[in-house]
Each structure stands twice: as C-alpha cells, then as structure tokens.
Amino acid sequence: MADVNTQLVQQEERQRIARDLHDTIGHTLTMIKVKTELTTKLIDRDPSSVKQELNDILATTRTALKQVRELVSDMNFVSLQTELLHCQQLLQSAHITTTINNHCPKIVLSSVEETMLALCVREATTNMLKHSQAQSCQMKIQCQKGQYTVAIQDDGIGLQQEGLGNGINSMKERMRVLHGYALIEGNTTTGTSVLFSIPIQDGKEPPT
C-alpha cells in the first residue's frame, strides 16, 4: 500500500509540474512566437518598428527565464491581480486592446483560489493569443449569488477546434478542485467568452 501511495503522489506531482510548465512557460513562449512572427512581417513593411518589437521579444524572453527560476524554486503562489495586469500587457503588445474591471476589490481569496484563477486567466490569454485573431478584450470580476466570477470576452473569430485541448481541460480541472466551474463558448459573431466561477467562502461576501 505504501508503494501505491508513493506512486500516486509522484504521479500527481508530475501532473502538477506538467500543468505549471504548460501554463507558465507555454504561455510566454507563445507570446515570443507571436511577436517574432509580427517582427518578420515588419522587416520589409515597417523597418522602423522592428527595433521595438525585438525589445519586446527580449523582455518576454527574460520573463520566461524568470518563470523557469520560480518553478525551480517551487514558488507556487500567483497573484490574480498581477496576472491580470501581466496578461493585459501581453495582449496589448499583440495589438489586442484590453480592459480590466474589478467589481469585487474587497473580496479576499485564499492563496489556492487566487493561484488557480490566475493560472486559468493565463491559459485563457494564451488561447486568445494563439487562436482568436481578436482586436479587443474585456476582463471583468464580479460577485453574484455567492459566486466569485472572472469573465473574459474577446471579439475574435470564436472558439476553433484547434483550441480544444489540454489547456481547456486544465482550466476546467482547476475550477472543479475549487468546487467551481469553467464555461468556454464562442462563435464567429460574438467572439469567445470564458467564465471562471468559484463559491465565495462564508463571511467573505460583501453586503448587498
């Protein structure tokens, strides 16, 4: 029985590391890929902009190195607010205008809740960069009927088949761990909407 328990712990740890690598390094490498593709197009069309794009790629590469160090150091906590701002910067650097509205600034999440939501926001942003072809995005935090929700809406081409994979499964799995859920919907008319929802712990919901 001890050997079985050890194997289960090792398997869970491998899965956690795989998710962290996918959600962090994969996210940043996607941004480097997007920026590099843009720079390649600008070389002939707009050479004056190439230097700025290369500087952005360099800065993103430094972010990737920092993320690797943090993973190695097992720094697991991820701030939701910091992640939202970071994703906003990444999207705007890819020319996707992004706004953030937090209607629940007084709600205090646990470290696990905040980290799980932050990683889900990161994954949703990665999918947007890869697949959406969006020009604008809205991120909104709300508290309704005992639920803390993070909604992300873009104006892109909608949910494409290639976007259905480990990333979406990972988001849904993280929300299930928190007794919440993730909804991902999209079409060519309205773009893609992503909703993460978790129950607000007793005593943390603001008065109505």
Side-chain angles (χ1 to χ4, degrees):
M1 180 65 70
D3 289 340
V4 173
N5 289 336
T6 299
Q7 290 174 1
L8 288 174
V9 170
Q10 290 174 342
Q11 181 179 352
E12 289 177 358
E13 182 63 11
R14 283 194 295 268
Q15 291 174 343
R16 183 190 69 79
I17 293 172
R19 284 197 301 267
D20 286 347
L21 286 171
H22 179 272
D23 292 344
T24 55
I25 307 305
H27 172 83
T28 307
L29 291 179
T30 295
M31 190 62 222
I32 293 173
K33 175 179 177 292
V34 170
K35 298 292 286 184
T36 302
E37 290 173 346
L38 176 61
T39 303
T40 301
K41 295 177 182 177
L42 289 174
I43 288 176
D44 295 325
R45 191 175 65 198
D46 188 5
S48 62
S49 300
V50 171
K51 183 176 180 180
Q52 179 59 48
E53 296 298 332
L54 289 174
N55 286 335
D56 288 346
I57 292 171
L58 179 59
T60 307
T61 303
R62 288 177 178 141
T63 297
L65 291 172
K66 180 175 180 289
Q67 289 171 336
V68 170
R69 295 190 189 101
E70 290 179 350
L71 282 174
V72 171
S73 300
D74 200 29
M75 295 175 63
N76 292 323
F77 174 74
V78 182
S79 162
L80 176 58
Q81 185 62 30
T82 299
E83 189 61 37
L84 285 168
L85 293 174
H86 177 63
C87 288
Q88 181 184 43
Q89 292 171 354
L90 288 176
L91 289 169
Q92 292 189 159
S93 70
H95 307 293
I96 301 175
T97 303
T98 306
T99 59
I100 300 173
N101 292 300
N102 185 357
H103 298 286
C104 309
K106 295 183 179 180
I107 291 290
V108 179
L109 302 174
S110 70
S111 296
V112 173
E113 290 172 332
E114 196 163 339
T115 296
M116 291 289 200
L117 283 169
L119 292 176
C120 285
V121 168
R122 182 179 298 175
E123 179 59 41
T125 301
T126 299
N127 287 342
M128 194 186 309
L129 288 167
K130 283 182 178 180
H131 308 296
S132 74
Q133 300 179 31
Q135 294 183 332
S136 66
C137 167
Q138 293 183 342
M139 298 183 178
K140 185 184 299 183
I141 295 176
Q142 291 182 302
C143 301
Q144 297 177 344
K145 299 179 180 179
Q147 293 290 119
Y148 184 96
T149 63
V150 180
I152 302 173
Q153 175 72 53
D154 69 48
D155 64 351
I157 60 175
L159 191 65
Q160 303 301 302
Q161 185 62 37
E162 65 268 22
L164 298 172
N166 292 333
I168 287 179
N169 291 334
S170 176
M171 290 187 287
K172 290 184 176 181
E173 178 187 346
R174 290 183 188 280
M175 291 299 94
R176 280 196 295 267
V177 168
L178 301 177
H179 305 288
Y181 58 88
L183 296 177
I184 300 96
E185 299 176 333
N187 58 61
T188 55
T189 302
T190 60
T192 298
S193 63
V194 180
L195 178 70
F196 305 118
S197 181
I198 62 173
I200 297 173
Q201 296 181 25
D202 290 343
K204 291 189 175 182
E205 188 169 6
T208 56

